[in-house]
Structure formats: C-alpha cells, structure tokens
Amino acid sequence: MIKNFFRTIAAALSFSVLAGAEAQLVADSDLPIDITGDTAEFQDNLATWTGNVRVVQGEGILTTKRLEAVLLDDGGFETITAIGDVRYSNGKEALTGGRAVFNDQARTITMTEDVIVTQGKQVLSAGKVTYWVDTGKVLFTPEAGKRIRGLFFTQSDDEQT
C-alpha cells in the first residue's frame, strides 16, 4: 500500500510532460498530467512553476508553492523539486511536508520538513521520508532530538477503511 502510494507521488513529481520518453511509474501512467501555476519559466535546463502550483494525474493531486525540474539534454530529467507546503493526495492517502525531491539517478523521492503520511486513520510523522522507487523501500527518519511517531488502528469486521 505504501509502495503504490509513493509510486504515484513519483509519477506526479516526474510528470512526463518534461520527461519526454521517461517511463511513468504507475499503472495509470497513460493518463494526462495537468500542471498549472501562476507562472512558468523555462531557461536552459531548468523548468520552474511558481505560485499555487498544482499537478494532477487521475486521482492524484500534488500542490506546492514552487516546482523545479532540472532537465537533461536527452529530454529526461535529473531532479524534480517541490518546495513549500508540499501536499499530495489520491483520495485514499495523503502526504504533506515542506519539500520533496525526486532524484532520477538515485531513483529516490525524499520529503522533508515535518512530514505527515496519512492512510485512512493511520498516521505516521517524521522529519524525513525517503522512498526508493525501484525497490519500494521506505525509510522514516526523525528530526534531531525527536522520534518517529505512528498512530495505528486495528480494523474490526464492521469497520473497513
């Protein structure tokens, strides 16, 4: 469940509009990706959207104050960074933090700055969450002097979320 959640985030962060031939990372990758913002600037190998940025693909919605993509000459990308009030939701799960970075070479998504992951009633909080796209490994790391916190509910037969 967490694996699919982060794969969808990777797709939202790696929006194929900029990635050209790069493969999407989720099953519904054929869906169009709609990116809106108050401004969009393209210079050399940097594409930047600022102000009320919204990336939508299917049910997945990523919002942030700023989105930057460092592009490669072959049409791919090196990194995609969402900066400021980063929020992702797909109707089932939600993820919030201050900054998220997709690094194509490392094949990781890292979200930092008071990260909260919500799946139904389940909630996990951390200072940093790193997701390895190819393996599905997820690492929650606390902020200095803090600990990881998880709030989990058991489900009864009457209550399926």
Side-chain angles (χ1 to χ4, degrees):
M1 190 143 115
I2 276 246
K3 184 176 181 180
N4 289 337
F5 177 54
F6 279 99
R7 280 189 176 168
T8 306
I9 292 169
L13 285 174
S14 65
F15 49 95
S16 64
V17 168
L18 293 178
E22 291 290 323
Q24 284 286 335
L25 303 171
V26 291
D28 58 356
S29 64
D30 291 336
L31 293 173
I33 298 172
D34 182 15
I35 305 171
T36 58
D38 294 341
T39 63
E41 179 180 334
F42 304 89
Q43 183 176 357
D44 300 324
N45 68 336
L46 182 64
T48 305
W49 277 267
T50 55
N52 302 304
V53 179
R54 183 176 171 97
V55 181
V56 179
Q57 182 183 32
E59 294 181 2
I61 300 171
L62 174 77
T63 61
T64 185
K65 290 181 178 180
R66 181 180 183 94
L67 191 69
E68 299 176 349
V70 177
L71 307 174
L72 300 172
D73 291 337
D74 66 1
F77 56 88
E78 185 175 323
T79 60
I80 299 174
T81 305
I83 304 165
D85 296 331
V86 180
R87 299 177 192 282
Y88 174 82
S89 175
N90 64 10
K92 297 176 186 172
E93 298 104 1
L95 180 73
T96 63
R99 179 182 186 95
V101 178
F102 177 78
N103 183 314
D104 192 49
Q105 184 175 2
R107 306 291 295 153
T108 59
I109 300 170
T110 303
M111 183 170 265
T112 56
E113 302 174 28
D114 298 319
V115 180
I116 298 174
V117 177
T118 306
Q119 292 180 318
K121 291 182 180 180
Q122 310 341 310
V123 180
L124 277 162
S125 62
K128 176 171 105 173
V129 176
T130 303
Y131 171 71
W132 283 263
V133 174
D134 296 328
T135 65
K137 177 182 173 181
V138 181
L139 175 64
F140 289 80
T141 308
E143 292 179 13
K146 294 188 177 181
R147 300 176 71 190
I148 303 302
R149 182 166 187 202
L151 181 60
F152 303 97
F153 293 87
T154 59
Q155 293 182 348
S156 69
D157 292 339
D158 298 330
E159 184 181 326
Q160 296 294 321
T161 55

